[in-house]
Each structure stands twice: as structure tokens, then as C-alpha cells.
Amino acid sequence: MGKSSGSRLPLVQLKEQRRDLVVALQNRNGPVGSWELMQIAAIQQAISAFEDVIADLDAELELEAAAA
């Protein structure tokens, strides 16, 4: 039995949402609106924040492992 979408990691969900928005924009004709760009930018900021936190946690774990 597969996992439900509710059990996915938030970072994965954000990346999928960003991809879906970009693909939707690529497949449509006409100008890109400021609302669409703001949505993609907001999602990208959230992704960057998640990745920064993950990098910080990884660095802390490496320091703890080196000290042990």
C-alpha cells in the first residue's frame, strides 16, 4: 500500500508544487501574471529556508560526531 500525500515531507511537497506551477506556465499561452510569479517566488523562498535549516542541522550533527 502506498503512502498518502499527507505523509510526504514538506520540502518534497513544496518542490512538487513549484514544478507544477512552472509547468502550468510553460504550457499556457499569454503573458505571465504577477500573481503567478509571486506564488513561485514565495514557494522558492520556503524551499530555500528548509534547505538552510537542513544544512545547519547536518553541520551540527557532523560537529557532534567529530567531538565524540
Side-chain angles (χ1 to χ4, degrees), residues 1 5 14 18 22 26 29-30 33 39-42 46-51 54-55 57 59 67-68:
M1 184 175 250
S5 62
L14 286 170
R18 177 188 61 190
V22 170
Q26 289 174 336
N29 295 324
Q39 283 182 305
I40 294 170
I47 290 169
S48 294
F50 267 99
E51 290 174 340
I54 291 168
L57 292 173

Side-chain angles (χ1 to χ4, degrees), residues 25 36 40 42 56 60:
L25 289 177
E36 289 93 353
I40 294 170
D56 288 346
E60 286 180 25

Side-chain angles (χ1 to χ4, degrees), residues 5 10 13 16-17 21-22 26 28 30-31 33 35-36 43 58 67:
S5 62
Q13 289 177 320
E16 288 175 350
Q17 186 177 3
L21 288 171
V22 170
Q26 289 174 336
R28 83 172 209 200
W35 174 247
E36 289 93 353
I43 292 169
D58 285 345

